[in-house]
Amino acid sequence: MVCIPIERLLAQAQGTLPAQEAEQINHHLRRGCPSCLQQFQLIQKTLSVCESQNLISPPDWLLNQAMSLFRWRPALEKANHREILPATLLSDSTTNMRLLGFRGAGVAGRHLLYRAGDYDVDLFMDFVEPARAFDIVGQTMPTGLELDAVAHGDVELFKASDLALATKTNEFGEFLMERVEEGIYSLKLKFKTSEIDIVELRALLEE
Amino acid sequence: MQGTETIASACSKDYYQQGDAVLLQQCLERNEQAWSALLQRYGNIIYSIAWRSNLSSEEVARVFQSVWLTLIQNLDLVHQEPRLTRWLVTRTLHESLRVGEERQGNYRCDTHPVLSEKEITELEQERLLWQALSSMAAPCQELLKRLLYDKHSWLCQHAAKPTPTTCGIEPNIRCCLAKLLATLKELGF
């Protein structure tokens, strides 16, 4: 019994063969050629899966964030008994604006919302045109904790492993970092019991 | 498939063809390309499950990152896991439930997932097909995508004269399709 070429089996499954050839293949399959039958069934299954198309690809920014998390390494020995919480990026206004078709949305200002354990961190990066730098305004909000959990915490901005800027949160968990040069940073927010790590914070004009 | 170019560019073809166990071992050794390959391989099913769990886009983002973070933090345990898909799917369902119910303020461990086992199986089959296609060389991949997904091309393809039996530099349907089916079998499709 001579087997049917695989591309003809595909054409058979797609129903695009002339009637005479289709009948010949059907006859071959009915006679029980195990190899062709197995291939044919696999092709049918593949075509059926192609029909469904329910799988959705994650957006680039989310993949990049998952990539950044892999690079994130908690400096446990420096934590001073604080719980180290990596922040997950929930929303990025630049991405949202791009989806709406605003190509230059990243330049004017960028709003980022992070979540780390029981904390939300809101960041607003405002581009300061003359200085070609960013002002970063942030607020940490505890969810289910007292507000003083985020009061007077240390805020440290690192470029690679170098400390670029440092400040403190006020009694409401707010902070301001002025004239941050363009670059990719990591931001650490250190409170009494927790340290929040924001990895690969991108203070960039265009991406 | 959209949204994968950036990460894909960080990951060479060799990594796509590696098994999960090898990639996990390489991740333990801090290999970013291996991690990127895992993101490529499983990112879509994690995202799809979260997306179909009645969550907001922010919650989906949170679930997606939490699952990957959990994997990072448990690499030493998970790298011995024979079925990484199952582990990731379970984590995603659990995390989706947790995040959804946290919003409603009534998290319970015993709640049933939003997606049925059948729906998850269908997603996994789609993912396997996508993984098999991704592991192929670009010309073959393009040919097969056109052949399988573009119904308008079906008639034209099959009206063409039969393809030769040997695999040359140019992709031909017979070789590419045979490779795809062999890969699918290997993946347990």
Side-chain angles (χ1 to χ4, degrees):
Chain A
M1 199 183 296
V2 179
C3 279
I4 310 285
I6 198 167
E7 70 274 14
R8 308 319 282 172
L9 288 175
L10 173 69
Q12 176 77 349
Q14 290 173 328
T16 56
L17 287 178
Q20 195 184 350
E21 189 181 352
E23 185 42 44
Q24 282 170 359
I25 292 178
N26 265 339
H27 180 68
H28 179 82
L29 293 173
R30 273 200 305 270
R31 282 175 65 197
C33 171
S35 167
C36 288
L37 196 60
Q38 198 187 30
Q39 295 281 53
F40 184 67
Q41 285 167 345
L42 191 53
I43 288 170
Q44 280 183 316
K45 187 176 175 183
T46 304
L47 288 174
S48 151
V49 169
C50 287
E51 286 277 310
S52 52
Q53 298 200 33
N54 287 318
L55 209 58
I56 315 165
S57 286
D60 276 347
W61 68 268
L62 207 45
L63 286 168
N64 287 331
Q65 188 64 20
M67 199 73 219
S68 305
L69 288 171
F70 184 71
R71 295 185 191 117
W72 171 76
R73 290 287 175 269
L76 289 171
E77 69 280 9
K78 295 177 188 169
N80 292 332
H81 309 296
R82 289 191 197 98
E83 185 188 13
I84 300 182
L85 305 165
T88 53
L89 178 61
L90 306 186
S91 156
D92 178 347
S93 65
T94 310
T95 311
N96 298 342
M97 295 294 267
R98 277 196 194 125
L99 288 175
L100 293 171
F102 296 98
R103 292 181 61 199
V107 179
R110 185 175 186 185
H111 180 223
L112 301 154
L113 176 62
Y114 289 90
R115 167 69 64 89
D118 291 325
Y119 302 89
D120 279 341
V121 183
D122 249 311
L123 292 182
F124 186 77
M125 295 201 289
D126 190 21
F127 178 59
V128 186
E129 186 82 49
R132 296 194 63 77
F134 290 86
D135 286 349
I136 300 177
V137 184
Q139 183 173 22
T140 310
M141 288 163 289
T143 55
L145 295 171
E146 293 298 318
L147 196 58
D148 68 357
V150 293
H152 313 296
D154 292 314
V155 185
E156 297 171 348
L157 189 70
F158 289 87
K159 195 168 193 177
S161 54
D162 300 326
L163 183 65
L165 277 171
T167 186
K168 278 191 173 287
T169 57
N170 64 15
E171 65 265 47
F172 305 111
E174 298 166 329
F175 64 90
L176 168 66
M177 289 183 150
E178 291 181 294
R179 305 292 189 267
V180 176
E181 286 175 17
E182 236 192 312
I184 299 173
Y185 296 89
S186 59
L187 183 69
K188 290 181 188 294
L189 300 152
K190 297 176 177 176
F191 302 111
K192 284 171 206 157
T193 56
S194 309
E195 175 183 316
I196 300 169
D197 283 5
I198 293 178
V199 290
E200 296 197 15
L201 177 63
R202 304 170 82 86
L204 300 170
L205 284 179
E206 288 292 344
E207 291 199 54
Chain B
M1 284 280 162
Q2 57 176 10
T4 53
E5 265 69 32
T6 314
I7 294 296
S9 62
C11 177
S12 76
K13 209 79 196 166
D14 292 345
Y15 283 87
Y16 290 138
Q17 290 161 347
Q18 297 285 3
D20 290 345
V22 174
L23 291 177
L24 287 168
Q25 181 58 44
Q26 288 172 334
C27 288
L28 269 173
E29 294 156 14
R30 310 265 170 101
N31 183 324
E32 286 190 16
Q33 291 208 356
W35 182 251
S36 169
L38 286 179
L39 279 175
Q40 281 288 300
R41 191 170 291 178
Y42 294 107
N44 48 20
I45 196 166
I46 293 175
Y47 190 72
S48 302
I49 290 173
W51 192 251
R52 290 176 65 178
S53 299
N54 300 329
L55 301 175
S56 69
S57 57
E58 289 179 5
E59 288 167 336
V60 170
R62 194 172 145 205
V63 168
F64 185 82
Q65 290 166 86
S66 297
V67 171
W68 288 109
L69 194 58
T70 309
L71 180 60
I72 293 167
Q73 291 168 331
N74 292 282
L75 273 173
D76 52 341
L77 299 173
V78 180
H79 89 282
Q80 291 166 342
E81 179 71 34
R83 291 192 62 206
L84 181 60
T85 315
R86 182 43 59 184
W87 190 90
L88 288 168
V89 165
T90 306
R91 291 299 318 173
T92 309
L93 289 169
H94 180 81
E95 194 61 18
S96 299
L97 268 178
R98 195 183 68 78
V99 168
E101 296 197 1
E102 197 181 274
R103 183 199 333 129
Q104 295 160 17
N106 61 343
Y107 176 59
R108 301 196 317 271
C109 297
D110 59 345
T111 314
H112 296 294
V114 178
L115 269 77
S116 69
E117 197 59 40
K118 182 174 173 282
E119 288 171 309
I120 292 166
T121 305
E122 284 168 0
L123 283 174
E124 171 57 3
Q125 283 175 343
E126 247 190 275
R127 192 199 66 74
L128 285 173
L129 176 58
W130 185 78
Q131 182 181 339
L133 283 168
S134 303
S135 71
M136 306 188 83
C140 241
Q141 209 181 112
E142 276 169 36
L143 176 70
L144 286 171
K145 279 181 183 169
R146 199 171 60 240
L147 198 61
L148 297 173
Y149 289 98
D150 179 9
K151 286 192 174 178
H152 298 295
S153 76
W154 287 9
L155 282 168
C156 309
Q157 293 283 358
H158 300 306
K161 58 184 177 183
T163 50
T165 50
T166 53
C167 288
I169 295 169
E170 290 296 313
N172 72 52
I173 295 174
R174 189 176 297 177
C175 287
C176 293
L177 195 55
K179 271 186 209 166
L180 176 72
L181 296 185
T183 309
L184 284 172
K185 270 189 212 167
E186 207 175 293
L187 291 172
F189 179 74

